[in-house]
Amino acid sequence: MAASPSLILSRRDLDFLLFEWLDVTGLLDRPRFAEHSRHTFAAVLDLAEELATERFAPHNKKADATEPRIAPDGTVVLIEEIGQALQAFAKTGLMAATFDEQHGGMQLPTSVAKAVLAWFQAANVGTSAYPFLTMANANCLIEHGSAEQVATWVEPMLAGRFFGTMALSEPQAGSSLADITTRAEPQPDGTYRLFGNKMWISGGDHELSENIVHLVLAKVPGGPSGVKGISMFVVPKILLTDSGQLGERNDVVLAGLNHKMGYRATTNTLLNFGEGVHRPAGSPGAVGYLVGELHHGLSYMFSMMNEARIGVGLGATALGYTGYLHALDYARTRVQGRSVAGAGPVAIIEHPDVRRMLLAAKSYVEGALALGLYCAALVDEQATATSVLAREEAGLLLQVLTPIAKAWPSQWCLAANDLAIQIHGGYGYTRDYDVEQFYRDNRLNPIHEGTNGIQALDLLGRKVPMAGGAGLRLLLERVGRTIERATAGGDREDGGYAGYAAELQVAVDRIARTTATLLTCGDTALMLSNATAYLEAVGHTVIAWLWLDQVLSAGSESGAFYEGKRAAARYFYAWELPSVHAKLDLLDRLDRTLLDTPPEAC
Amino acid sequence: MAASPSLILSRRDLDFLLFEWLDVTGLLDRPRFAEHSRHTFAAVLDLAEELATERFAPHNKKADATEPRIAPDGTVVLIEEIGQALQAFAKTGLMAATFDEQHGGMQLPTSVAKAVLAWFQAANVGTSAYPFLTMANANCLIEHGSAEQVATWVEPMLAGRFFGTMALSEPQAGSSLADITTRAEPQPDGTYRLFGNKMWISGGDHELSENIVHLVLAKVPGGPSGVKGISMFVVPKILLTDSGQLGERNDVVLAGLNHKMGYRATTNTLLNFGEGVHRPAGSPGAVGYLVGELHHGLSYMFSMMNEARIGVGLGATALGYTGYLHALDYARTRVQGRSVAGAGPVAIIEHPDVRRMLLAAKSYVEGALALGLYCAALVDEQATATSVLAREEAGLLLQVLTPIAKAWPSQWCLAANDLAIQIHGGYGYTRDYDVEQFYRDNRLNPIHEGTNGIQALDLLGRKVPMAGGAGLRLLLERVGRTIERATAGGDREDGGYAGYAAELQVAVDRIARTTATLLTCGDTALMLSNATAYLEAVGHTVIAWLWLDQVLSAGSESGAFYEGKRAAARYFYAWELPSVHAKLDLLDRLDRTLLDTPPEAC
């Protein structure tokens, strides 16, 4: 490891969150993780930091400056460092970090694995997208595909020979999957032929792997309309021969690369299926293999989507985090201006407004990391907790937290990246520094995997009412437990935790009341029209809870690291939590502004 | 004019603000504007729209994609459309829009001129920066230079033959001008020779004009230390012969171009003065001519800086405004998803959350435009009002509003650009659409001409306490007048204006109390540590005031335009104004978080 602290992520914070706060070593008693130890967890974290630092971070700027392009022969040209980094990544076996041993996996807890993988997202989000998509694809196939499909497609993916994609959106259907028109025509041999266009497909074409495995949503003619008629298909770029060798080119072709504001190392593509450019076995149509049952495609995709959404939140967090660390380093070394008392010139961290920006960024990125790892720990709990109740509760909490875990970091860690630019002043606006790229990369996250507006509808329209409100109730109970601990601990001289607990209790009580008001208002359109205000109010309250929980966990430990945790919590309670009340006021009065305003007045 | 409404700016809104709200035709009675008429104002607005549409907007994306570069011969290469647009601009005489007739100016009111010039900022902020900097430079020389300097430098600038810059910052001194080290050594002939490096100099080098006139801050050896030892010099790129022809190359050279996130059409440079690359009259040192008196440079620069800050605010507004218009157009035409009632597919403007984003953007950009033009009207008032009292009051208001007019639009119109990306979804993240560039261009505005953190210190540390608090008192009185009119008008069936007036009154009363609390707390460092919260609270209140004033001015007029004004005001009072209270709470309790947190805990 480097002598000076990394500017990619904070290993100290990861260790705190995993070992001191979440106590992941408690998982070692469970059979799935029995082969592991605190030592193996640490070794994988070490490996990730080293590989991210040495192979991913160094080409992050170059990949941004050297956008993917299509060569005259139709292939995609990327800088060679991307492929080299990914081969090194594949060799470590990290592609299968959380997978079963039977698939060659490490059986790492998801909580540890997400911390491990965050190093790559923070070091180079564009390059890391390829294995991340591949892991999600493999996960989905293991869960819903046949044994043969797993053997055929998953094993080469986990070995890094094939990469995977998720192909949902179409040019006319992004957020609205009900309107997809790609069709899959059944063939006599049990396969399908697909015809249609897919838009925004990340990793949709490249020469980084021997093959690309697309998981494609399409409709079989004659099926139910809307989302109920969607099925999922494996559509490889290159078909395999009966003996499993690379064979004929499938009829799926790159129709264009999207030129993006950021995230440029990741190709983002328009793909044409079944336009007859290639004619497998002599006829047009992209050969596809049904995954699971007909018409269940959307639910399969969503089982993957929930984890993907937490992954997006963690990716946003990683980008925000590295931006914060860069800004902190700059603020400590850049000398400029005087203190109010006239001393100076001083390092800019001496200026209270620079500290405001740093503390805001710190409270966002460390709060978001806590949320992401908490959700990852819930995935572990859902899969391996010893009691049925604990597994069910973890599942419920995960459901209700997923839209927050996607939207909150993608809003506020982006804000952290914006603050990192501001802290750098004019230098932050130039490409000589790194922070403007982090901002541009992170700007994708509020958009993809369901825009933040969609997350708000998911939270208030689906997750909160589900199971008679059990998910939200459980969440507020968990918050209540933290409040109890904080209250029992009394107040500290420095302004302390009983005070935070009281403020958090007010927010929690209000959320419970406001939720009841909304759910009983009798007008779904009105209720949902302000869903974003609801998501933001609940999101800030959840992060305030996690900050209180973190400082309780820090106890009375001394030293800069723990003082930093306490300072960020103090900032969040002073500057951020109070903002929820204006939003709850708006929700309480069932504000009709958005619903009433006609389009012509917008 | 185009058949469909422009996506650059809204002429309808400009007409409303100028003629219905600010009543600029009332200025025609004043001698300075006697040659003008509503007709001449309209003609200049027409001209600006046409030229901005035909010559500035078309190369905006190309200039972004084709960054300035240095050719092997050391000259700067820009796309040719920039020079062509600027020659067309210079021919119109708009460079001298507000200048005296004696300098070839149009003597347009500043309010009208700012509306005229906003067309160019919205169409292509990078290209328009060259004449904007030139106008600011000329203005400063007219105010503080000698008659000879005006004749020598200003006239060619207003004719578009020479362009101007402001050269303040240095690599080690951005916000902190006290620390500049460029020195100016007096010569026997009354000229000076300058030695030093200037950083972030926009328009600092190019081949667009025959010559470049730098206004440079430097220190004469032996003068007072800090800001009191700063003097201002004219330093031309090319020296003039005695007969006024272009002569020898001065010893100021381009040392590098900054590669920026946006605003790319404008070269941004590091300039070296006096490194002996050129040797005017045989010796090294950049020849400079003192402007005004020795050691008064900073105050001269600040007389220009205040107008520059309002200009930055208007530039931010223009970029936010064009982003909003693009998003509105997209939201009306892009079909996606269903309404909550199940109808659809529908245009996305039918979704309440899209309307939230549009109304937010509209309330920001139209609110900011009102603020910018209100300040411009104060400039007119300060210069031409018939009573001394009116002129003094305009000056006071202008002083107190300047930091807000810079910071608020550069924060919230940037937020409007961010929303415009989000409304476009994935498409907004691509360079096939325009909105991501608007965001990148606008990201500069919270940084330059004094960061927003500096504006907060200026407001709370200087402008509010000045003249015994007279500026703020006057501002709050003006707000009070609007409240009175709104209250007298009673409440409207639709939830109306007496309600807004009451909410605004609460905010105004709180600001008065909070200000007293801060100014009497006896701890300047503590007071100023939360200056950003103060700036933001006062800023939102000022914009709420201008929204109430706008809807009062709209009266009971019907039609989409006026309904839009009412809808945006309703949004601002429902969603935005309430956010000030959490900030005022923090200020009221003299929150010590920022002051107390040591650097190691950030």
Side-chain angles (χ1 to χ4, degrees), chain B residues 453-528:
Chain B
I454 300 270
Q455 302 304 320
L457 294 175
D458 182 49
L459 178 65
L460 184 55
R462 195 175 311 161
K463 300 301 177 56
V464 164
M466 77 181 178
L472 182 71
R473 214 157 37 235
L474 189 60
L475 174 64
L476 298 185
E477 274 171 31
R478 292 288 167 101
V479 178
R481 282 192 215 168
T482 302
I483 291 173
E484 268 174 41
R485 283 165 56 215
T487 309
D491 226 348
R492 291 159 45 98
E493 272 186 5
D494 62 8
Y497 305 154
Y500 297 172
E503 288 162 40
L504 187 57
Q505 186 68 57
V506 171
V508 162
D509 290 344
R510 286 204 64 181
I511 286 171
R513 280 200 308 276
T514 300
T515 304
T517 301
L518 291 168
L519 294 180
T520 59
C521 79
D523 183 340
T524 306
L526 176 59
M527 172 183 100
L528 291 179

Side-chain angles (χ1 to χ4, degrees), chain A residues 67 171-172 174-175 179 259 261 336 338 353 355 418 422 427 429 431 439-440 443 446 532 594 597, chain B residues 67 171-172 174-175 179 259 261 336 338 353 355 418 422 427 429 431 439-440 443 446 532 594 597:
Chain A
E67 209 171 23
Q172 84 296 346
S175 297
D179 298 316
H259 298 284
M261 183 182 186
Q336 184 86 172
R338 279 155 185 74
D353 200 58
R355 288 208 292 274
D418 181 77
Q422 192 69 15
Y427 291 101
Y429 194 65
R431 282 174 277 130
Y439 180 89
R440 288 187 290 102
R443 186 61 189 82
T532 289
L594 304 183
T597 303
Chain B
E67 210 171 19
Q172 82 299 343
S175 297
D179 298 317
H259 298 285
M261 182 181 186
Q336 184 85 172
R338 281 156 185 72
D353 200 58
R355 287 207 292 275
D418 181 77
Q422 192 69 15
Y427 292 100
Y429 194 65
R431 282 173 278 132
Y439 179 90
R440 288 186 291 103
R443 186 62 190 81
T532 288
L594 304 182
T597 302

Side-chain angles (χ1 to χ4, degrees), chain B residues 193-223:
Chain B
R193 291 284 179 125
L194 277 75
F195 303 88
N197 314 110
K198 290 288 176 181
M199 183 62 164
W200 309 122
I201 311 310
S202 287
D205 205 3
H206 53 71
E207 304 296 317
L208 295 166
S209 54
E210 298 170 23
N211 201 356
I212 301 175
V213 182
H214 304 290
L215 280 185
V216 183
L217 295 188
K219 291 180 175 178
V220 175

Side-chain angles (χ1 to χ4, degrees), chain A residues 67 170-176 178-179 199-200 257-264 324 328 332 334-338 340 345 349-350 352-353 355-356 358-359 362 414 418-419 421-422 425-432 436 439-444 446-447 451-454 524-525 528-530 532-533 536 560-561 563-565 567-568 570-571 573-575 578-579 582 586 589 591-602, chain B residues 67 170-176 178-179 199-200 257-264 324 328 332 334-338 340 345 349-350 352-353 355-356 358-359 362 414 418-419 421-422 425-432 436 439-444 446-447 451-454 524-525 528-530 532-533 536 560-561 563-565 567-568 570-571 573-575 578-579 582 586 589 591-602:
Chain A
E67 209 171 23
E170 299 179 1
Q172 84 296 346
S175 297
S176 176
D179 298 316
M199 183 62 164
W200 308 123
L257 292 176
N258 292 309
H259 298 284
K260 294 167 294 170
M261 183 182 186
Y263 234 103
R264 289 188 184 156
Y324 155 68
L328 179 61
R332 285 181 171 157
R334 169 73 172 174
V335 170
Q336 184 86 172
R338 279 155 185 74
V340 170
I349 201 170
E350 299 290 341
D353 200 58
R355 288 208 292 274
R356 173 185 64 82
L358 287 169
L359 286 171
K362 181 181 175 75
L414 179 64
D418 181 77
L419 290 167
I421 294 173
Q422 192 69 15
Y427 291 101
Y429 194 65
T430 69
R431 282 174 277 130
D432 297 316
E436 67 89 28
Y439 180 89
R440 288 187 290 102
D441 288 348
N442 215 355
R443 186 61 189 82
L444 177 60
I447 298 173
T451 63
N452 285 6
I454 299 271
T524 307
L528 292 179
S529 70
N530 295 328
T532 289
E536 291 184 0
F561 175 79
E563 291 304 332
K565 285 289 178 194
R570 182 178 173 185
Y571 167 84
Y573 277 83
W575 283 77
S579 73
L586 176 122
R589 65 172 184 263
D591 190 276
R592 299 186 60 91
T593 306
L594 304 183
L595 200 66
D596 287 353
T597 303
E600 61 273 19
C602 285
Chain B
E67 210 171 19
E170 299 179 1
Q172 82 299 343
S175 297
S176 176
D179 298 317
M199 183 62 164
W200 309 122
L257 292 175
N258 291 309
H259 298 285
K260 293 167 292 165
M261 182 181 186
Y263 235 102
R264 290 189 183 154
Y324 155 69
L328 179 62
R332 285 183 170 156
R334 169 73 173 172
V335 171
Q336 184 85 172
R338 281 156 185 72
V340 170
I349 201 170
E350 298 292 341
D353 200 58
R355 287 207 292 275
R356 172 184 65 80
L358 287 169
L359 285 170
K362 181 181 175 75
L414 179 64
D418 181 77
L419 290 167
I421 293 173
Q422 192 69 15
Y427 292 100
Y429 194 65
T430 70
R431 282 173 278 132
D432 298 317
E436 67 89 29
Y439 179 90
R440 288 186 291 103
D441 287 348
N442 214 354
R443 186 62 190 81
L444 178 60
I447 298 172
T451 64
N452 284 6
I454 300 270
T524 306
L528 291 179
S529 71
N530 295 328
T532 288
E536 290 185 359
F561 175 78
E563 291 303 332
K565 284 289 178 194
R570 183 177 171 185
Y571 167 84
Y573 277 82
W575 285 76
S579 73
L586 177 123
R589 66 172 184 265
D591 190 275
R592 301 186 59 92
T593 306
L594 304 182
L595 200 66
D596 288 353
T597 302
E600 61 274 18
C602 286

